Amino acid sequence: MNPMSALSMVKSGGLSAIGAPFIVFLLLAMVVVPLPPLALDFFFTLNIALSLVVMLAVVYVLRPLDFSVFPTVLLLATLFRLALNVASTRVVLLNGHEGPGAAGRVIEAFGNFVIGGNYAVGLVVFAILTIINFAVITKGAGRVSEVSARFTLDAMPGRQMAIDADLNAGLLTRDEAKLRREEVREEADFYGAMDGASKFVKGDAVAGLLILIVNVVGGVAIGALAHDLSFGEAFKVYALLTIGDGLVAQIPALLLSTAVAILVTRMSRSQAISSQMNTQLVGDGRAVAMAAGLMALIGLVPGMPNLAFLALAALLAGAAVWLHRRARAARTEVTTTPETAETPAELGWQDLPPVDPVGLELGYRLIPLADTRQGGELMARIRGVRRKLSEELGFLFPPVHVRDNLQQAPNRYRVLLHGVELAAGECHPDRDLALDAGQVLGPVEGIATHDPAFGLPALWIEPGQRAYAQAQGYTVVDAATVIATHLSQLLRVHAPELLGIEEAQAMLTATAQHAPKLVEDLVPKVLPLAAFTRVLQGLLAERVPVRNLRGVLEALAEHAPRTQDPQALLIAVRQALSRQIVASIGTSGAADLPVFTLSSALERLLQEGLQQPQNALEPGLAERLQTSLETQARQQDAVGEPTVLLVPGTLRHSLARFLRAAVPQAHVLAFHELPDTTRIRHVGQLG
């Protein structure tokens, strides 16, 4: 490396890149280079401080992934502690005969003050700490890490599919989906690293026990053979030093093991552990009140330490009262407006609230889903739905007015369109919905239900079962996603009712910025705005996006001087947009378009029936036609192809309106609406 490249590395932050290898080299050097007692005191104190910092960082972190460097920190801390054990062992064995202070003040303090200078007590305390660390905390944390890593890896395909489903439904943008996929990969890497890092802690606990045995045996042998001490004196001196050394290393190890256990047992929620315990453990004080009552009963039993139990019962009762008042104040926190006038004001038009185009009413248990202060994601999901639908269909969807409705069931929600209930459903905000898409490997416990958007069989499961359900083949979404997906489907179907004259004028204003002459000469000089709006509504009713508004306007400019009939104009616009319509069905320009046609007899009957004054079909004929097309549509869905009915132009509009509700997945095209470059494949005939 030349001097200029070295200087540029330093300027670009190369010192931080050199720091990590230097720390590892320093740790390895501590194993070989003898350290004086003063240096040991400093490093032992630093070890305890580092363990406390890591422990507190784990407590205050919001999500486990926010501390993704923890496995590396755990490895370095373990290496640091083992290097200190080797360095202190060297000092104890070399200078232990000089007295308790031969290995530094920290080891002497732990040997004298913590265990009172009694090596028997020290052995018992050290054994207890080792058992707690090795058999309880380390073993449990290792098991949790192993299971979490396995479930996370097994659930990765299902979670990726859920992200793709949210992206296709408009709940996520491409950037948000990319971040979600990156988070899934990071979570798998994190729990895999934690599974391996927990083995460091387990090995460290075993190493601490073995180092204690080696130090005691080696110290007694060196003291008796090299320094002419009796076996009793040598055992007492070296045992105290070894136990002090072991306790100095074992306490930070216990802190780090506890930090590992806390981190791997955390749920993946963006909330601190103190907030989770505050809301889930103590809550509104009912559990604390029950505990106070039980403590009071125990305190009244004769022969028990009555004062201690009754005093604690009083403290718990006071805490329960305070928690209950706090929860009640949070529920009833409302803003009231005092009366400023003695006589009521006159009723005016401003007192009549406008009817929202789209409304969403939530039961009181679903309100936290819409509260961003409580981590609710429903509002962000609704914004994503509006953005996705606006981009797909070509006009700006109105805002969704979300409000609470305490008169309906707590878990119920309903969607309103212009003040009228459109659909309703139930959600469990504390559970996730596992959708059965037909590829489930095994059963999962939960509350059986159906997805409100698509009608798929589903289960409301506990959040802790999410990874297991995904591994079994379920697609798991949260409650906010369920409501947003249901809302997205409803808005897509009822898009024509949301595009009015105001929205049509806004679309014309936006188009006039790059095609001013086209807009100026057409609306309202040749075509009234109301007729233009009817044409757009007709396109949306037949699932044709209005993104290509310039193409719509050019077709209208050609035919509007001859007719003002919205139906005739719609036919002309559909023919102008034929390439877009065929592409929206789901086939590319080079693929064959599978089509069904009408038999000559059925076509003649339909022509005669639709030419009657009432423009209606005979009931028996209509039922047979619906049944036949439904059967063909199910067969097409099974092979992954669209259902397209190709009919004469005189029948297309009437058949499309008739079949829209019965067979919504069917597309009805006229012969003249097929582009010249489209190749068709005849797959059946309705007769």
Side-chain angles (χ1 to χ4, degrees), residues 6-58:
L7 181 60
S8 62
M9 183 184 69
V10 172
K11 290 182 178 179
S12 61
L15 289 177
S16 59
I18 298 175
F22 179 75
I23 291 175
V24 176
F25 176 76
L26 182 63
L27 295 178
L28 297 177
M30 290 173 58
V31 178
V32 181
V33 179
L35 296 178
L38 185 61
L40 284 178
D41 290 342
F42 172 75
F43 285 126
F44 276 127
T45 308
L46 179 62
N47 187 25
I48 297 174
L50 177 63
S51 303
L52 290 174
V53 169
V54 174
M55 176 75 177
L56 294 176
V58 168

Side-chain angles (χ1 to χ4, degrees), residues 290-375:
M290 291 295 296
L294 293 175
M295 295 296 289
L297 289 177
I298 296 174
L300 296 176
V301 175
M304 297 296 292
N306 308 98
L307 181 60
F309 279 97
L310 292 177
L312 184 57
L315 290 176
L316 291 176
V321 172
W322 178 77
L323 291 171
H324 177 70
R325 290 178 179 176
R326 187 186 65 173
R328 185 173 60 183
R331 288 194 301 264
T332 60
E333 183 179 357
V334 294
T335 57
T336 57
T337 307
E339 297 183 0
T340 56
E342 296 181 359
T343 58
E346 284 294 332
L347 184 65
W349 287 105
Q350 68 275 6
D351 296 320
L352 295 177
V355 177
D356 298 312
V358 183
L360 177 62
E361 294 185 351
L362 305 175
Y364 74 85
R365 289 197 63 195
L366 302 180
I367 294 176
L369 296 177
D371 189 356
T372 56
R373 295 173 298 180
Q374 302 184 41

Side-chain angles (χ1 to χ4, degrees), residues 156-317:
M156 277 191 68
R159 298 181 67 179
Q160 296 284 4
M161 292 174 59
I163 293 172
D164 294 337
D166 288 347
L167 178 62
N168 296 331
L171 303 179
L172 297 175
T173 63
R174 291 186 180 275
D175 293 337
E176 291 173 343
K178 184 178 180 180
L179 291 176
R180 290 283 184 89
R181 294 191 185 98
E182 185 66 25
E183 184 177 346
V184 170
R185 288 192 293 268
E186 288 180 357
E187 186 174 357
D189 294 341
F190 173 76
Y191 282 110
M194 285 302 301
D195 184 23
S198 61
K199 303 300 187 296
F200 299 149
V201 180
K202 182 178 180 181
D204 181 37
V206 176
L209 184 60
L210 295 178
I211 289 173
L212 175 71
I213 297 174
V214 170
N215 283 350
V216 171
V217 175
V220 172
I222 292 174
L225 300 178
H227 301 291
D228 297 330
L229 298 177
S230 64
F231 282 98
E233 293 178 354
F235 184 81
K236 181 177 180 180
V237 172
Y238 285 97
L240 285 176
L241 288 174
T242 302
I243 292 170
D245 179 25
L247 289 177
V248 171
Q250 197 66 27
I251 290 176
L254 183 62
L255 291 175
L256 285 181
S257 301
T258 306
V260 173
I262 292 175
L263 192 65
V264 297
T265 54
R266 288 279 303 276
M267 297 290 293
S268 294
R269 295 287 189 267
S270 296
Q271 192 176 12
I273 188 172
S274 58
S275 301
Q276 291 179 346
M277 295 184 67
N278 186 29
T279 56
Q280 301 176 20
L281 183 60
V282 296
D284 57 357
R286 285 180 293 180
V288 180
M290 291 295 296
L294 293 175
M295 295 296 289
L297 289 177
I298 296 174
L300 296 176
V301 175
M304 297 296 292
N306 308 98
L307 181 60
F309 279 97
L310 292 177
L312 184 57
L315 290 176
L316 291 176

Side-chain angles (χ1 to χ4, degrees), residues 435-514:
L435 302 174
D436 182 1
Q439 299 178 349
V440 174
L441 302 178
V444 177
E445 294 183 1
I447 303 174
T449 184
H450 284 82
D451 172 45
F454 305 103
L456 297 175
L459 295 170
W460 285 107
I461 63 174
E462 296 290 342
Q465 296 178 284
R466 186 183 185 97
Y468 177 73
Q470 290 174 336
Q472 295 299 318
Y474 285 90
T475 300
V476 185
V477 295
D478 55 21
T481 303
V482 172
I483 299 176
T485 305
H486 193 191
L487 178 65
S488 174
Q489 293 299 111
L490 294 173
L491 294 182
R492 189 185 301 274
V493 173
H494 295 273
E497 302 178 51
L498 297 173
L499 192 149
I501 291 180
E502 291 294 334
E503 288 76 15
Q505 181 60 56
M507 295 172 66
L508 289 174
T509 303
T511 307
Q513 296 179 2
H514 51 83

